[in-house]
Amino acid sequence: MPINDNEVRLAALEALPSWSWGDFAKDPPQTVQLMRLGPNGWHALIAYLAGPSWVYQEPARSHPVAATGGTDQRVDAATAGTVSGDADGTAAHDEMARYLADAGVPEPPRQVQWMLCLPQGATEWELEHACRLAAQEVDPRDHRRIAHEVHASLRVLLNGRMPPLSW
């Protein structure tokens, strides 16, 4: 069992996790700082790689779309991370599924919103920054290698911390 960050990183680089999206809880933890992950391939990758001990899923909220000047826009920008309609959701999901397949990650369920339980003392910025830093030296077209690097970064960040969804 790895005990330091270097060993954790090396072990995480060997293989991606083998859990399924069905392993992710559907009930939120009681007292945890949450990070809403947007409905895109990058955040779905983070959700999957962080795993069911750190991420739970809830139904995506549909949000009305208003037609303005020939383009559809969300009515309220405060709802970022919500699905704006069936056609939008299907196209976005299909694009996300292709990105994840290229990364070696199974297709997620449709109409799901992921919430990541931030480790105590960590901020959304720190978590996002650690993931982006892990991927910055990788060819952006090499989704599988990006997944391995992000997985290693998340495992190091979460190493030794009690997963809130396993309490």
Side-chain angles (χ1 to χ4, degrees):
M1 179 166 159
I3 57 169
N4 65 44
D5 287 352
N6 193 44
E7 290 175 351
V8 168
R9 177 175 162 59
L10 292 174
L13 284 171
E14 288 180 15
L16 294 178
S18 60
W19 45 67
S20 77
W21 289 105
D23 296 334
F24 289 72
K26 293 181 173 79
D27 297 313
Q30 294 301 313
T31 55
V32 160
Q33 183 180 0
L34 299 173
M35 175 180 178
R36 180 175 298 279
L37 297 172
N40 59 59
W42 175 250
H43 279 154
L45 181 67
I46 291 172
Y48 182 81
L49 297 175
S53 293
W54 291 93
V55 176
Y56 79 93
Q57 61 182 322
E58 62 185 28
R61 291 179 263 161
S62 292
H63 186 66
V65 174
T68 56
T71 62
D72 291 341
Q73 296 181 341
R74 294 187 199 284
V75 174
D76 179 7
T79 60
T82 61
V83 177
S84 55
D86 282 342
D88 243 3
T90 298
H93 181 86
D94 292 346
E95 183 178 325
M96 175 184 4
R98 282 190 297 276
Y99 177 86
L100 294 175
D102 287 348
V105 171
E107 180 176 346
R110 292 182 180 274
Q111 299 296 318
V112 170
Q113 170 70 58
W114 296 280
M115 302 295 288
L116 188 141
C117 304
L118 288 169
Q120 188 171 6
T123 66
E124 288 184 24
W125 183 88
E126 289 169 323
L127 188 130
E128 183 79 32
H129 181 70
C131 292
R132 291 206 182 277
L133 193 60
Q136 80 178 5
E137 298 297 322
V138 179
D139 180 341
R141 297 167 298 190
D142 190 348
H143 298 155
R144 189 168 302 263
R145 177 138 180 263
I146 287 171
H148 281 272
E149 293 294 337
V150 170
H151 180 231
S153 179
L154 285 168
R155 295 282 61 90
V156 168
L157 181 69
L158 303 175
N159 185 28
R161 300 178 191 241
M162 174 65 81
L165 294 173
S166 64
W167 296 341

